[in-house]
Each structure stands twice: as structure tokens, then as C-alpha cells.
mmCIF file of all heavy atoms in Angstrom:
data_model
loop_
_atom_site.group_PDB
_atom_site.id
_atom_site.type_symbol
_atom_site.label_atom_id
_atom_site.label_comp_id
_atom_site.label_asym_id
_atom_site.label_seq_id
_atom_site.Cartn_x
_atom_site.Cartn_y
_atom_site.Cartn_z
ATOM 1 N N ALA A 8 -5.617 -13.541 -7.158
ATOM 2 C CA ALA A 8 -5.272 -13.421 -8.582
ATOM 3 C C ALA A 8 -5.805 -12.109 -9.148
ATOM 4 O O ALA A 8 -5.124 -11.425 -9.929
ATOM 5 C CB ALA A 8 -5.851 -14.610 -9.356
ATOM 6 N N LEU A 9 -7.002 -11.733 -8.741
ATOM 7 C CA LEU A 9 -7.564 -10.456 -9.162
ATOM 8 C C LEU A 9 -6.708 -9.292 -8.661
ATOM 9 O O LEU A 9 -6.409 -8.352 -9.415
ATOM 10 C CB LEU A 9 -8.999 -10.328 -8.607
ATOM 11 C CG LEU A 9 -9.719 -9.009 -8.822
ATOM 12 C CD1 LEU A 9 -9.865 -8.681 -10.305
ATOM 13 C CD2 LEU A 9 -11.104 -9.039 -8.147
ATOM 14 N N HIS A 10 -6.311 -9.379 -7.410
ATOM 15 C CA HIS A 10 -5.454 -8.336 -6.833
ATOM 16 C C HIS A 10 -4.138 -8.220 -7.605
ATOM 17 O O HIS A 10 -3.696 -7.118 -7.956
ATOM 18 C CB HIS A 10 -5.193 -8.656 -5.357
ATOM 19 C CG HIS A 10 -4.529 -7.544 -4.623
ATOM 20 N ND1 HIS A 10 -3.924 -7.716 -3.413
ATOM 21 C CD2 HIS A 10 -4.377 -6.220 -4.919
ATOM 22 C CE1 HIS A 10 -3.431 -6.564 -2.993
ATOM 23 N NE2 HIS A 10 -3.696 -5.642 -3.897
ATOM 24 N N GLU A 11 -3.523 -9.350 -7.895
ATOM 25 C CA GLU A 11 -2.243 -9.336 -8.600
ATOM 26 C C GLU A 11 -2.372 -8.730 -9.979
ATOM 27 O O GLU A 11 -1.506 -7.967 -10.432
ATOM 28 C CB GLU A 11 -1.694 -10.767 -8.690
ATOM 29 C CG GLU A 11 -1.227 -11.344 -7.359
ATOM 30 C CD GLU A 11 -0.934 -12.826 -7.416
ATOM 31 O OE1 GLU A 11 -0.990 -13.390 -8.535
ATOM 32 O OE2 GLU A 11 -0.690 -13.417 -6.359
ATOM 33 N N ARG A 12 -3.450 -9.071 -10.692
ATOM 34 C CA ARG A 12 -3.648 -8.499 -12.029
ATOM 35 C C ARG A 12 -3.844 -6.995 -11.963
ATOM 36 O O ARG A 12 -3.335 -6.244 -12.813
ATOM 37 C CB ARG A 12 -4.833 -9.159 -12.713
ATOM 38 C CG ARG A 12 -4.605 -10.628 -13.087
ATOM 39 C CD ARG A 12 -5.837 -11.210 -13.776
ATOM 40 N NE ARG A 12 -5.956 -10.727 -15.141
ATOM 41 C CZ ARG A 12 -5.460 -11.358 -16.206
ATOM 42 N NH1 ARG A 12 -4.779 -12.474 -16.064
ATOM 43 N NH2 ARG A 12 -5.613 -10.844 -17.427
ATOM 44 N N LEU A 13 -4.572 -6.530 -10.954
ATOM 45 C CA LEU A 13 -4.806 -5.085 -10.828
ATOM 46 C C LEU A 13 -3.528 -4.345 -10.427
ATOM 47 O O LEU A 13 -3.242 -3.264 -10.940
ATOM 48 C CB LEU A 13 -5.912 -4.831 -9.802
ATOM 49 C CG LEU A 13 -7.323 -5.203 -10.239
ATOM 50 C CD1 LEU A 13 -8.309 -5.051 -9.082
ATOM 51 C CD2 LEU A 13 -7.764 -4.367 -11.449
ATOM 52 N N VAL A 14 -2.763 -4.933 -9.523
ATOM 53 C CA VAL A 14 -1.486 -4.312 -9.122
ATOM 54 C C VAL A 14 -0.562 -4.171 -10.316
ATOM 55 O O VAL A 14 0.123 -3.146 -10.495
ATOM 56 C CB VAL A 14 -0.821 -5.141 -8.002
ATOM 57 C CG1 VAL A 14 0.620 -4.729 -7.811
ATOM 58 C CG2 VAL A 14 -1.596 -4.997 -6.695
ATOM 59 N N ALA A 15 -0.523 -5.207 -11.179
ATOM 60 C CA ALA A 15 0.346 -5.177 -12.345
ATOM 61 C C ALA A 15 -0.087 -4.126 -13.355
ATOM 62 O O ALA A 15 0.750 -3.538 -14.053
ATOM 63 C CB ALA A 15 0.382 -6.560 -12.997
ATOM 64 N N ALA A 16 -1.386 -3.880 -13.428
ATOM 65 C CA ALA A 16 -1.908 -2.973 -14.462
ATOM 66 C C ALA A 16 -2.095 -1.540 -13.984
ATOM 67 O O ALA A 16 -2.169 -0.623 -14.804
ATOM 68 C CB ALA A 16 -3.236 -3.523 -14.990
ATOM 69 N N VAL A 17 -2.191 -1.348 -12.661
ATOM 70 C CA VAL A 17 -2.502 -0.026 -12.110
ATOM 71 C C VAL A 17 -1.421 0.375 -11.122
ATOM 72 O O VAL A 17 -1.478 0.018 -9.926
ATOM 73 C CB VAL A 17 -3.895 -0.030 -11.425
ATOM 74 C CG1 VAL A 17 -4.198 1.368 -10.874
ATOM 75 C CG2 VAL A 17 -4.977 -0.508 -12.373
ATOM 76 N N PRO A 18 -0.396 1.098 -11.543
ATOM 77 C CA PRO A 18 0.655 1.540 -10.613
ATOM 78 C C PRO A 18 0.050 2.412 -9.500
ATOM 79 O O PRO A 18 -0.762 3.303 -9.757
ATOM 80 C CB PRO A 18 1.588 2.371 -11.501
ATOM 81 C CG PRO A 18 1.322 1.890 -12.890
ATOM 82 C CD PRO A 18 -0.136 1.516 -12.917
ATOM 83 N N GLY A 19 0.432 2.135 -8.270
ATOM 84 C CA GLY A 19 -0.064 2.922 -7.141
ATOM 85 C C GLY A 19 -1.352 2.404 -6.533
ATOM 86 O O GLY A 19 -1.869 3.016 -5.594
ATOM 87 N N LEU A 20 -1.880 1.287 -7.038
ATOM 88 C CA LEU A 20 -3.071 0.692 -6.430
ATOM 89 C C LEU A 20 -2.760 0.279 -4.991
ATOM 90 O O LEU A 20 -1.709 -0.276 -4.715
ATOM 91 C CB LEU A 20 -3.480 -0.542 -7.234
ATOM 92 C CG LEU A 20 -4.789 -1.202 -6.832
ATOM 93 C CD1 LEU A 20 -5.947 -0.582 -7.575
ATOM 94 C CD2 LEU A 20 -4.744 -2.717 -7.111
ATOM 95 N N THR A 21 -3.677 0.553 -4.058
ATOM 96 C CA THR A 21 -3.428 0.243 -2.652
ATOM 97 C C THR A 21 -4.549 -0.618 -2.089
ATOM 98 O O THR A 21 -5.719 -0.443 -2.434
ATOM 99 C CB THR A 21 -3.300 1.518 -1.791
ATOM 100 O OG1 THR A 21 -4.417 2.366 -2.054
ATOM 101 C CG2 THR A 21 -2.022 2.264 -2.131
ATOM 102 N N LEU A 22 -4.180 -1.536 -1.230
ATOM 103 C CA LEU A 22 -5.133 -2.423 -0.558
ATOM 104 C C LEU A 22 -5.694 -1.728 0.686
ATOM 105 O O LEU A 22 -4.951 -1.146 1.475
ATOM 106 C CB LEU A 22 -4.449 -3.724 -0.161
ATOM 107 C CG LEU A 22 -5.271 -4.696 0.685
ATOM 108 C CD1 LEU A 22 -6.402 -5.300 -0.151
ATOM 109 C CD2 LEU A 22 -4.383 -5.787 1.265
ATOM 110 N N ASN A 23 -7.003 -1.832 0.879
ATOM 111 C CA ASN A 23 -7.651 -1.353 2.103
ATOM 112 C C ASN A 23 -8.146 -2.552 2.895
ATOM 113 O O ASN A 23 -8.878 -3.380 2.376
ATOM 114 C CB ASN A 23 -8.831 -0.444 1.743
ATOM 115 C CG ASN A 23 -8.413 0.745 0.905
ATOM 116 O OD1 ASN A 23 -7.416 1.401 1.185
ATOM 117 N ND2 ASN A 23 -9.177 1.046 -0.146
ATOM 118 N N GLY A 24 -7.727 -2.641 4.148
ATOM 119 C CA GLY A 24 -8.108 -3.784 4.971
ATOM 120 C C GLY A 24 -6.891 -4.565 5.397
ATOM 121 O O GLY A 24 -5.759 -4.271 5.007
ATOM 122 N N HIS A 25 -7.117 -5.579 6.213
ATOM 123 C CA HIS A 25 -6.016 -6.387 6.719
ATOM 124 C C HIS A 25 -5.487 -7.283 5.608
ATOM 125 O O HIS A 25 -6.258 -7.915 4.871
ATOM 126 C CB HIS A 25 -6.490 -7.251 7.890
ATOM 127 C CG HIS A 25 -5.372 -7.738 8.750
ATOM 128 N ND1 HIS A 25 -4.528 -8.750 8.340
ATOM 129 C CD2 HIS A 25 -4.957 -7.366 9.979
ATOM 130 C CE1 HIS A 25 -3.633 -8.982 9.300
ATOM 131 N NE2 HIS A 25 -3.866 -8.152 10.293
ATOM 132 N N PRO A 26 -4.157 -7.365 5.431
ATOM 133 C CA PRO A 26 -3.603 -8.171 4.334
ATOM 134 C C PRO A 26 -3.868 -9.669 4.492
ATOM 135 O O PRO A 26 -3.930 -10.407 3.499
ATOM 136 C CB PRO A 26 -2.110 -7.871 4.398
ATOM 137 C CG PRO A 26 -1.865 -7.377 5.780
ATOM 138 C CD PRO A 26 -3.116 -6.676 6.204
ATOM 139 N N ASP A 27 -4.014 -10.145 5.721
ATOM 140 C CA ASP A 27 -4.189 -11.575 5.969
ATOM 141 C C ASP A 27 -5.520 -11.907 6.653
ATOM 142 O O ASP A 27 -6.233 -12.809 6.229
ATOM 143 C CB ASP A 27 -3.028 -12.108 6.826
ATOM 144 C CG ASP A 27 -1.696 -11.850 6.174
ATOM 145 O OD1 ASP A 27 -1.542 -12.160 4.991
ATOM 146 O OD2 ASP A 27 -0.804 -11.292 6.852
ATOM 147 N N GLU A 28 -5.820 -11.217 7.749
ATOM 148 C CA GLU A 28 -7.047 -11.484 8.519
ATOM 149 C C GLU A 28 -8.217 -10.801 7.843
ATOM 150 O O GLU A 28 -8.685 -9.753 8.252
ATOM 151 C CB GLU A 28 -6.881 -11.013 9.963
ATOM 152 C CG GLU A 28 -5.762 -11.694 10.727
ATOM 153 C CD GLU A 28 -6.011 -13.184 10.840
ATOM 154 O OE1 GLU A 28 -7.169 -13.584 11.097
ATOM 155 O OE2 GLU A 28 -5.053 -13.967 10.651
ATOM 156 N N ARG A 29 -8.699 -11.452 6.785
ATOM 157 C CA ARG A 29 -9.705 -10.821 5.925
ATOM 158 C C ARG A 29 -10.586 -11.918 5.340
ATOM 159 O O ARG A 29 -10.152 -13.066 5.164
ATOM 160 C CB ARG A 29 -8.996 -10.067 4.812
ATOM 161 C CG ARG A 29 -9.859 -9.312 3.840
ATOM 162 C CD ARG A 29 -9.029 -8.256 3.079
ATOM 163 N NE ARG A 29 -7.705 -8.712 2.713
ATOM 164 C CZ ARG A 29 -7.333 -8.986 1.451
ATOM 165 N NH1 ARG A 29 -8.180 -8.869 0.448
ATOM 166 N NH2 ARG A 29 -6.094 -9.361 1.200
ATOM 167 N N LEU A 30 -11.827 -11.589 5.045
ATOM 168 C CA LEU A 30 -12.710 -12.561 4.386
ATOM 169 C C LEU A 30 -12.065 -13.044 3.092
ATOM 170 O O LEU A 30 -11.488 -12.243 2.352
ATOM 171 C CB LEU A 30 -14.056 -11.912 4.068
ATOM 172 C CG LEU A 30 -14.966 -11.593 5.253
ATOM 173 C CD1 LEU A 30 -16.182 -10.797 4.780
ATOM 174 C CD2 LEU A 30 -15.403 -12.861 5.967
ATOM 175 N N PRO A 31 -12.166 -14.313 2.786
ATOM 176 C CA PRO A 31 -11.463 -14.850 1.614
ATOM 177 C C PRO A 31 -11.992 -14.349 0.288
ATOM 178 O O PRO A 31 -11.319 -14.494 -0.741
ATOM 179 C CB PRO A 31 -11.682 -16.366 1.749
ATOM 180 C CG PRO A 31 -12.909 -16.499 2.576
ATOM 181 C CD PRO A 31 -12.879 -15.361 3.539
ATOM 182 N N ASN A 32 -13.174 -13.751 0.287
ATOM 183 C CA ASN A 32 -13.770 -13.314 -0.979
ATOM 184 C C ASN A 32 -13.702 -11.815 -1.208
ATOM 185 O O ASN A 32 -14.158 -11.333 -2.244
ATOM 186 C CB ASN A 32 -15.259 -13.728 -0.994
ATOM 187 C CG ASN A 32 -16.123 -12.787 -0.164
ATOM 188 O OD1 ASN A 32 -15.754 -12.423 0.953
ATOM 189 N ND2 ASN A 32 -17.249 -12.391 -0.706
ATOM 190 N N THR A 33 -13.119 -11.065 -0.277
ATOM 191 C CA THR A 33 -13.251 -9.601 -0.310
ATOM 192 C C THR A 33 -11.938 -8.913 -0.649
ATOM 193 O O THR A 33 -10.908 -9.175 -0.044
ATOM 194 C CB THR A 33 -13.782 -9.098 1.061
ATOM 195 O OG1 THR A 33 -15.003 -9.767 1.360
ATOM 196 C CG2 THR A 33 -14.006 -7.598 1.026
ATOM 197 N N LEU A 34 -12.026 -7.984 -1.601
ATOM 198 C CA LEU A 34 -10.877 -7.173 -2.015
ATOM 199 C C LEU A 34 -11.344 -5.718 -2.157
ATOM 200 O O LEU A 34 -12.145 -5.383 -3.013
ATOM 201 C CB LEU A 34 -10.343 -7.675 -3.369
ATOM 202 C CG LEU A 34 -9.180 -6.870 -3.960
ATOM 203 C CD1 LEU A 34 -7.924 -6.970 -3.091
ATOM 204 C CD2 LEU A 34 -8.875 -7.333 -5.387
ATOM 205 N N ASN A 35 -10.840 -4.857 -1.257
ATOM 206 C CA ASN A 35 -11.137 -3.439 -1.328
ATOM 207 C C ASN A 35 -9.836 -2.718 -1.676
ATOM 208 O O ASN A 35 -8.859 -2.806 -0.939
ATOM 209 C CB ASN A 35 -11.683 -2.943 0.019
ATOM 210 C CG ASN A 35 -12.206 -1.508 -0.050
ATOM 211 O OD1 ASN A 35 -11.475 -0.593 -0.450
ATOM 212 N ND2 ASN A 35 -13.450 -1.322 0.329
ATOM 213 N N VAL A 36 -9.838 -2.054 -2.819
ATOM 214 C CA VAL A 36 -8.622 -1.375 -3.288
ATOM 215 C C VAL A 36 -8.951 0.053 -3.699
ATOM 216 O O VAL A 36 -10.067 0.350 -4.108
ATOM 217 C CB VAL A 36 -7.983 -2.123 -4.485
ATOM 218 C CG1 VAL A 36 -7.368 -3.429 -4.038
ATOM 219 C CG2 VAL A 36 -8.995 -2.352 -5.597
ATOM 220 N N SER A 37 -7.936 0.904 -3.605
ATOM 221 C CA SER A 37 -8.077 2.305 -4.037
ATOM 222 C C SER A 37 -7.290 2.502 -5.313
ATOM 223 O O SER A 37 -6.094 2.175 -5.392
ATOM 224 C CB SER A 37 -7.553 3.261 -2.960
ATOM 225 O OG SER A 37 -8.448 3.322 -1.869
ATOM 226 N N PHE A 38 -7.972 3.047 -6.328
ATOM 227 C CA PHE A 38 -7.335 3.374 -7.595
ATOM 228 C C PHE A 38 -6.814 4.810 -7.516
ATOM 229 O O PHE A 38 -7.574 5.711 -7.146
ATOM 230 C CB PHE A 38 -8.355 3.239 -8.740
ATOM 231 C CG PHE A 38 -8.717 1.836 -9.079
ATOM 232 C CD1 PHE A 38 -9.603 1.123 -8.293
ATOM 233 C CD2 PHE A 38 -8.164 1.196 -10.192
ATOM 234 C CE1 PHE A 38 -9.953 -0.175 -8.599
ATOM 235 C CE2 PHE A 38 -8.494 -0.103 -10.505
ATOM 236 C CZ PHE A 38 -9.402 -0.814 -9.706
ATOM 237 N N PRO A 39 -5.551 5.028 -7.829
ATOM 238 C CA PRO A 39 -4.991 6.378 -7.672
ATOM 239 C C PRO A 39 -5.494 7.363 -8.725
ATOM 240 O O PRO A 39 -5.773 6.979 -9.864
ATOM 241 C CB PRO A 39 -3.477 6.129 -7.844
ATOM 242 C CG PRO A 39 -3.389 4.920 -8.719
ATOM 243 C CD PRO A 39 -4.569 4.057 -8.319
ATOM 244 N N SER A 40 -5.646 8.607 -8.303
ATOM 245 C CA SER A 40 -5.920 9.744 -9.199
ATOM 246 C C SER A 40 -7.294 9.724 -9.835
ATOM 247 O O SER A 40 -7.574 10.573 -10.702
ATOM 248 C CB SER A 40 -4.859 9.807 -10.309
ATOM 249 O OG SER A 40 -3.549 9.834 -9.763
ATOM 250 N N VAL A 41 -8.172 8.798 -9.460
ATOM 251 C CA VAL A 41 -9.530 8.793 -10.009
ATOM 252 C C VAL A 41 -10.514 8.533 -8.879
ATOM 253 O O VAL A 41 -10.161 7.993 -7.837
ATOM 254 C CB VAL A 41 -9.710 7.708 -11.109
ATOM 255 C CG1 VAL A 41 -8.706 7.881 -12.220
ATOM 256 C CG2 VAL A 41 -9.630 6.319 -10.510
ATOM 257 N N GLY A 42 -11.773 8.928 -9.099
ATOM 258 C CA GLY A 42 -12.799 8.640 -8.127
ATOM 259 C C GLY A 42 -13.407 7.265 -8.390
ATOM 260 O O GLY A 42 -13.590 6.871 -9.557
ATOM 261 N N GLY A 43 -13.692 6.536 -7.330
ATOM 262 C CA GLY A 43 -14.274 5.212 -7.498
ATOM 263 C C GLY A 43 -15.601 5.255 -8.247
ATOM 264 O O GLY A 43 -15.890 4.395 -9.065
ATOM 265 N N ARG A 44 -16.408 6.266 -7.975
ATOM 266 C CA ARG A 44 -17.697 6.388 -8.642
ATOM 267 C C ARG A 44 -17.534 6.600 -10.138
ATOM 268 O O ARG A 44 -18.267 6.024 -10.951
ATOM 269 C CB ARG A 44 -18.516 7.522 -8.017
ATOM 270 C CG ARG A 44 -19.967 7.540 -8.403
ATOM 271 C CD ARG A 44 -20.754 8.517 -7.546
ATOM 272 N NE ARG A 44 -20.686 8.168 -6.146
ATOM 273 C CZ ARG A 44 -21.444 7.235 -5.572
ATOM 274 N NH1 ARG A 44 -22.313 6.560 -6.313
ATOM 275 N NH2 ARG A 44 -21.334 6.954 -4.298
#
């Protein structure tokens, strides 16, 4: 649900990691055009 809300609000957001074989609590995403820090 967090991923879906971010995808809807941030065009170009990308997932890092396996889409399915992944820990159920972990979401690593890249925000376009800005630094994570």
C-alpha cells in the first residue's frame, strides 16, 4: 500500500530489489531527480 501511494504521487519512482522474492516488510525505492539524503 505504501508503494502504491508513492507510485501514484511520484512519477518515475522505481523499485530496487526483487518484485516478489523479498522480505515482506522492506521497500527500497528511488525518487527521480532528487538525492535520497
Side-chain angles (χ1 to χ4, degrees):
L9 174 60
H10 190 196
E11 290 169 6
R12 291 181 74 93
L13 289 174
V14 166
V17 181
L20 186 89
T21 51
L22 173 70
N23 301 316
H25 200 286
D27 303 310
E28 299 299 318
R29 182 162 40 109
L30 290 173
N32 78 316
T33 305
L34 176 66
N35 189 304
V36 289
S37 287
F38 288 77
S40 306
V41 303
R44 193 169 300 279

